[in-house]
Amino acid sequence: AQTVTQSQPEMSVQEAETVTLSCTYDTSESDYYLFWYKQPPSRQMILVIRQEAYKQQNATENRFSVNFQKAAKSFSLKISDSQLGDAAMYFCAYRSAGAQKLVFGQGTRLTINP
Amino acid sequence: DTGVSQNPRHKITKRGQNVTFRCDPISEHNRLYWYRQTLGQGPEFLTYFQNEAQLEKSRLLSDRFSAERPKGSFSTLEIQRTEQGDSAMYLCASSSPGGTTTYEQYFGPGTRLTVT
């Protein structure tokens, strides 16, 4: 079974600075998708960024980018120019190409210091 | 697009009672998912529907849990004889095949269940 591990329960960063959240996963499959979801306090989870395993190029979405290392099974999220609205729980998630369910990590709580 | 909605948002019940939650997916989405999230943890998959067919169930979905999607639109999740260990946030998500969305799952706000 696939597992996703987020080793940083909490992170904090000064507003306008850059922060990187770590995620590793374990799978024997070669075709899969990886996601970062954001869950603000008392609000619903939203997708931040996705990466297809067959793509070598790292995904970027505005201030958010990933560092996808397939051989190392690592998928980190970099947030540039951190804003107060980035404060949330961030979850890394895995989905096999042949399946529907998402497998989530334990989450990292990100605090933005003004 | 009104997003995924869930009702109720909060439910407090006594141990042993039955509870039912409702999820309304995004209108054109044919896939619907239920997840459970306990405090400080990531969501865990419970079950998944494509249209009205329940295609996958997790081992987490004990016999006390049942989910339906009778007309392929809204879904209900019922928990019978609730236990304190059922206290959690129950999340619903929906997705649509095709395009470039890679079956991106859109989540609702969740129903927080407290069993006393």
Side-chain angles (χ1 to χ4, degrees):
Chain A
Q2 297 84 16
T3 58
V4 177
T5 302
Q6 294 178 249
S7 59
Q8 305 155 315
E10 297 184 358
M11 291 281 285
S12 63
V13 64
Q14 290 295 125
E15 191 177 4
E17 295 192 346
T18 296
V19 64
T20 299
L21 308 184
S22 301
C23 172
T24 58
Y25 58 95
D26 187 25
T27 184
S28 58
E29 299 173 335
S30 60
D31 195 9
Y32 50 87
Y33 303 96
L34 296 165
F35 306 86
W36 278 98
Y37 278 88
K38 170 185 178 182
Q39 188 177 41
S42 301
R43 295 182 60 186
Q44 62 205 76
M45 195 171 308
I46 57 174
L47 180 65
V48 175
I49 198 166
R50 73 175 72 84
Q51 175 79 43
E52 292 88 345
Y54 63 84
K55 290 186 176 179
Q56 293 186 338
Q57 186 173 7
N58 289 324
T60 63
E61 288 286 344
N62 300 314
R63 297 182 296 107
F64 299 87
S65 62
V66 299
N67 183 4
F68 173 47
Q69 301 288 329
K70 190 171 184 179
K73 298 179 183 176
S74 170
F75 182 60
S76 62
L77 174 69
K78 185 172 82 172
I79 306 174
S80 303
D81 185 25
S82 299
Q83 300 176 0
L84 294 177
D86 295 333
M89 284 290 288
Y90 285 81
F91 292 97
C92 179
Y94 169 102
R95 185 173 71 76
S96 169
Q100 292 300 316
K101 68 178 183 183
L102 292 168
V103 178
F104 286 88
Q106 305 92 322
T108 296
R109 182 177 302 280
L110 179 63
T111 302
I112 312 296
N113 300 313
Chain B
D1 183 349
T2 57
V4 179
S5 62
Q6 294 187 245
N7 288 288
R9 295 292 306 277
H10 303 274
K11 179 70 176 179
I12 300 174
T13 191
K14 293 185 177 180
R15 185 166 53 93
Q17 298 294 305
N18 299 343
V19 294
T20 299
F21 312 139
R22 175 177 170 131
C23 171
D24 287 88
I26 294 171
S27 58
E28 66 270 22
H29 286 185
N30 67 338
R31 298 180 185 221
L32 187 147
Y33 314 80
W34 285 98
Y35 292 84
R36 182 172 69 186
Q37 185 179 21
T38 53
L39 202 60
Q41 299 297 315
E44 296 175 293
F45 172 79
L46 292 178
T47 189
Y48 142 68
F49 290 86
Q50 181 169 312
N51 299 313
E52 66 275 10
Q54 189 174 20
L55 297 185
E56 187 176 354
K57 293 197 297 185
S58 163
R59 291 172 297 173
L60 293 174
L61 214 64
S62 75
D63 291 345
R64 297 185 297 106
F65 288 70
S66 63
E68 293 183 345
R69 195 181 183 200
K71 297 182 180 179
S73 57
F74 73 91
S75 175
T76 57
L77 177 67
E78 180 183 17
I79 308 175
Q80 296 182 328
R81 305 181 302 282
T82 52
E83 302 173 355
Q84 287 190 323
D86 297 331
S87 295
M89 177 77 86
Y90 290 85
L91 297 171
C92 177
S94 68
S95 72
S96 175
T100 60
T101 60
T102 61
Y103 301 99
E104 175 183 332
Q105 295 184 21
Y106 294 81
F107 282 82
T111 295
R112 181 168 296 283
L113 173 66
T114 302
V115 181
T116 62

